[in-house]
Amino acid sequence: MQFSHLINLNAVYIDSISQSKTAVLLKVSQILSQLHPELSKQELFEAYWKRECLGSTTIGQGITIPHIHSAKLKNAQACVIRLQNPVDFGAADKQPIDLVIGLAVPQEQVAQHLEILAAIIKRFKVPSFREACRQAVN
């Protein structure tokens, strides 16, 4: 999968402010709603929060992939945030999160949603890729 089809350069952000799970999910919602006016920041946040309440979206190694479906989207959208201040997301490996990939997929694209998640997880299993993401600057 080509992540360039999923992530606009304007959706890559280094965050030095967020210091809680709530703040991170708000930042994901803000970025995606600014780039996609059909999406409401508040509706996105509520959907991400509801999804996170079902179970942690962390995948280990300091990475989380908050992901939701949206009836307002025609194509999958994502943002990437590198947190300068790692945040506790309740990860099974107890590592605080410093890399966030916020994903929103059209409501009816369940199979694509799972394929995208699998591709992201596979990519982030590569230590050199994780480290390159952590070294990125604005």
Side-chain angles (χ1 to χ4, degrees), residues 30-101:
Q30 175 187 2
I31 291 169
L32 291 177
S33 67
Q34 285 177 339
L35 294 173
H36 306 283
E38 70 275 18
L39 301 173
S40 156
K41 177 182 171 183
Q42 187 61 35
E43 288 175 3
L44 285 170
F45 172 74
E46 289 171 6
Y48 282 117
W49 187 259
K50 183 177 178 182
R51 169 57 190 91
E52 201 65 37
C53 288
L54 294 174
S56 178
T57 57
T58 61
I59 62 169
Q61 304 290 328
I63 302 162
T64 190
I65 311 171
H67 53 280
I68 61 168
H69 288 104
S70 173
K72 295 183 178 178
L73 285 174
K74 293 181 181 164
N75 299 301
Q77 303 297 323
C79 66
V80 176
I81 303 171
R82 182 170 63 87
L83 301 172
Q84 290 185 328
N85 303 303
V87 171
D88 180 10
F89 251 72
D93 66 0
K94 307 290 186 215
Q95 288 191 25
I97 298 304
D98 66 340
L99 293 174
V100 180
I101 302 88

